Amino acid sequence: MEELKTPERIESFSKKRPTFTLQWHLTNACPNNCKHCYNDRHNQPLSLIDTKKIVDDFGYLLKRWNCNGGIYFTGGDPLLYPNFYDLLKYTRSQIPEVMIGILGNPELLTEETIEVLKEQDVHSYQMSIDGLEKTHDYFRHPGSFKNTLEKLNLLREMGIKTMVMSTVSRVNIKELPELINVIVENKIDFFDFRRLVPIGRGKRLERESIISPREYRNFLQEMDKMYEKYRGEKTLFETGDPLWRLFYFEEGKIQRVKNSNLVWSGCMIGCDGVTILENGIVLACRRLPILIGKVPAQKIRDIFVRSPSLNEMRKIEKIKKCQDCELLLQCRGCRAVANALKNDYFAEDPQCWRN
């Protein structure tokens, strides 16, 4: 195979050693049956032998590119992957410096389980809270809200950082600002949210995903007020939704990037990582069901650099409405939401309020 004639090093505006990340869905098995879940299938998970090949390949990639690495094991519930603890230990032994996080659920967490995670230097454990108690339990099952908070507190007490992610829809959009009070009271380390993408089981909630642009901007304004209220507290409020960049620009909190050909922020598809599904299929983003490769049959490096689908997605100048926007390098909207609601990767973000 012909070698690349251009540097493979990931460009970054702020770090000498950027980070490349895997979001790795080990299994679809899960104790929950969330109404808005992206999954709707039950594929056979990879064997331990194949997952170890992927770990070895990832370690090689990090050395070749001289970059930091992160792996977020998830599912389903990653703790239900039959070989999870063997894979966790192998990953730590083969890539000692890699940051490992888990995106999971509360049901299987015990003090004994958390001790094992600590022994393997798991950095953080993320769980979802999708509204106040009644709403969150509506999406999952009765008692889930209380159980989630109990397990988050147990994780914190035992020395593992906690993360809460919320999925925003018409069902809970008015509750999430109030949820911030609960997040801070429980001393959660990190909080963020993403919009509902109606794929998988979540396709049934497509109407609930349609939020008007003005309504969404008002929501960001309310969330920003809560973030400012609790600035300086333990919780770090992250701003992963690309439209935060547009909001902050209009509020005078960030400046436009000038004279640069680097993607600085916003939707990071094709920039800093990939998603691996339970059967080895590779996506650019878990919420964007466009196949870009398959492991371990293909190398992660070859998929990331040479995938025709991914290289097409990198043509950000084709994104409708964004192509002439001065925030092209900082925002670009959410490509997954655009693709799900308009069946077009390059469609404008349905919640973008800019004319």
Side-chain angles (χ1 to χ4, degrees), residues 8-213:
E8 292 185 26
R9 176 82 174 263
I10 304 169
E11 295 293 341
S12 170
F13 70 93
S14 63
K15 297 179 181 178
K16 293 182 179 179
R17 296 190 78 225
T19 299
F20 192 87
T21 302
L22 300 182
Q23 181 174 324
W24 193 347
H25 295 254
L26 296 173
T27 177
N28 276 337
C30 186
N32 293 287
N33 189 30
C34 302
K35 291 179 172 63
H36 55 338
C37 184
Y38 308 135
N39 286 329
D40 62 353
R41 64 197 184 289
H42 298 281
N43 293 320
Q44 182 68 27
L46 296 172
S47 67
L48 180 60
I49 291 175
D50 281 344
T51 59
K52 286 183 175 180
K53 289 178 182 177
I54 296 169
V55 170
D56 292 342
D57 179 36
F58 188 55
Y60 170 76
L61 178 150
L62 298 179
K63 290 179 181 178
R64 174 164 183 161
W65 285 351
N66 187 31
C67 65
N68 299 317
I71 297 180
Y72 292 92
F73 291 118
T74 184
D77 192 320
L79 302 186
L80 286 173
Y81 176 62
N83 302 300
F84 174 72
Y85 296 104
D86 290 333
L87 177 60
L88 178 62
K89 292 174 183 177
Y90 184 79
T91 302
R92 179 56 68 206
S93 68
Q94 297 304 113
I95 321 177
E97 70 283 4
V98 74
M99 188 184 76
I100 298 176
I102 295 177
L103 318 181
N105 301 291
E107 285 82 5
L108 300 176
L109 280 178
T110 64
E111 290 188 11
E112 292 75 18
T113 299
I114 297 172
E115 282 294 347
V116 175
L117 302 183
K118 282 184 59 181
E119 289 171 4
Q120 301 306 316
D121 195 23
V122 169
H123 172 265
S124 61
Y125 199 107
Q126 174 183 305
M127 286 186 267
S128 296
I129 299 182
D130 295 310
L132 301 177
E133 184 171 2
K134 182 178 178 180
T135 300
H136 174 87
D137 288 357
Y138 158 79
F139 282 115
R140 285 173 173 77
H141 56 78
S144 176
F145 183 85
K146 290 180 179 178
N147 190 23
T148 300
L149 288 177
E150 288 173 3
K151 297 301 173 62
L152 286 166
N153 284 316
L154 181 60
L155 285 161
R156 186 190 72 248
E157 291 167 3
M158 296 184 67
I160 292 181
K161 291 188 178 299
T162 55
M163 169 84 181
V164 166
M165 178 66 74
S166 295
T167 299
V168 184
S169 68
R170 296 197 67 84
V171 177
N172 63 6
I173 191 168
K174 296 188 182 302
E175 291 186 8
L176 290 191
E178 187 177 346
L179 177 64
I180 299 303
N181 295 318
V182 178
I183 297 300
V184 173
E185 288 168 7
N186 285 272
K187 300 179 181 178
I188 304 302
D189 291 291
F190 307 99
F191 172 83
D192 206 352
F193 60 84
R194 296 291 188 277
R195 283 169 276 164
L196 170 64
V197 178
I199 60 173
R201 285 199 298 276
K203 180 68 175 174
R204 303 174 192 136
L205 297 178
E206 184 167 343
R207 285 173 54 185
E208 286 81 352
S209 71
I210 299 175
I211 301 167
S212 75

Side-chain angles (χ1 to χ4, degrees), residues 134 231-232 243 247 273 292 302:
K134 182 178 178 180
R231 185 178 297 277
L243 289 180
F247 175 80
I292 63 172
D302 290 337

